[in-house]
Amino acid sequence: MATVGLSESLFQRGQVCGACFELRCVEDLRWCIPGTSIILTATNFCAPNYGFPADGGGHCNPPNQHFVLPIEAFEKIAIWKAGNMPVQYRRIKCRKEGGIRFTIDGSSIFISVLISNVAGAGDIVAVKVKGSRTGWLPMGRNWGQNWHINADLKNQPLSFEVTATNGLTVTSYNVAPKDWNFGQTFEGKQFES
């Protein structure tokens, strides 16, 4: 319920995934619930529909700054049958429980890591991975907060260095044990929120 899809102009090709926003309904007292706001984490992309103009049905078309909310979240700030509502939003620090989560996938020649539950800035600009038989290796962004590297890192514990958009870095040593497997999720250190 606390997730949101963003239009192209906000999504920034997935770089903003993980960022947190506070939204409140504005301008329409008939449909807005006064004095309410919601906090959401950006997780999805609202694709443009170029079959419609930006001001005539293409809500996620550039230059629109559009948020696609789950029904449960929308109903905290507005009456559901209102449909699309103007909102006021601001970027805020993310507050998360527990550590940063690293979900490892891939094959014998590459690994892909989905990084989630990131406090503070919420979104990430750089990731490095270190096995017990390697130095620190920079990972590339695949999409959103999925990061990858072409390397065989099986049978060695993995450490991660994560840098957020605010420039802060957190290092989680030996998060994944030597016998980790694809599909597993591990929890590391956390940024202060």
Side-chain angles (χ1 to χ4, degrees):
M1 181 177 83
T3 63
V4 65
L6 302 178
S7 63
E8 189 173 285
S9 61
L10 291 168
F11 196 64
Q12 300 172 12
R13 298 184 56 128
Q15 293 180 30
V16 112
C17 273
C20 296
F21 295 87
E22 181 178 22
L23 278 71
R24 67 183 186 97
C25 182
V26 295
E27 295 182 15
D28 195 334
L29 300 178
R30 185 175 52 153
W31 301 110
C32 294
I33 299 172
T36 62
S37 68
I38 52 174
I39 295 173
L40 301 164
T41 302
T43 59
N44 297 303
F45 176 54
C46 177
N49 181 347
Y50 294 113
F52 294 100
D55 61 354
H59 304 294
C60 293
N61 294 3
N64 294 344
Q65 295 183 339
H66 188 75
F67 294 84
V68 180
L69 309 176
I71 293 170
E72 297 84 1
F74 184 93
E75 288 181 325
K76 291 187 181 299
I77 61 170
I79 307 301
W80 175 246
K81 67 180 182 177
N84 287 303
M85 295 296 302
V87 296
Q88 183 178 62
Y89 72 92
R90 66 184 179 122
R91 182 95 185 253
I92 62 169
K93 278 182 149 184
C94 296
R95 295 186 190 334
K96 303 292 180 179
E97 291 185 23
I100 297 173
R101 294 189 192 114
F102 302 91
T103 302
I104 303 173
D105 219 333
S107 73
S108 62
I109 59 169
F110 78 95
I111 67 168
S112 176
V113 180
L114 170 62
I115 299 174
S116 60
N117 202 52
V118 179
D123 48 349
I124 301 165
V125 293
V127 177
K128 292 180 183 176
V129 62
K130 180 184 181 313
S132 59
R133 298 187 303 265
T134 71
W136 286 102
L137 305 170
M139 299 183 80
R141 184 190 304 272
N142 187 338
W143 175 256
Q145 295 308 338
N146 283 289
W147 296 79
H148 67 274
I149 186 166
N150 293 329
D152 181 5
L153 296 170
K154 288 293 285 175
N155 301 313
Q156 48 188 315
L158 301 179
S159 301
F160 293 94
E161 182 182 278
V162 176
T163 303
T165 53
N166 60 8
L168 298 177
T169 299
V170 68
T171 305
S172 299
Y173 292 99
N174 300 316
V175 171
K178 180 180 178 178
D179 61 347
W180 63 268
N181 283 303
F182 296 119
Q184 289 183 301
T185 300
F186 303 95
E187 193 169 302
K189 289 186 178 179
Q190 184 59 276
F191 290 100
E192 291 183 22
S193 52

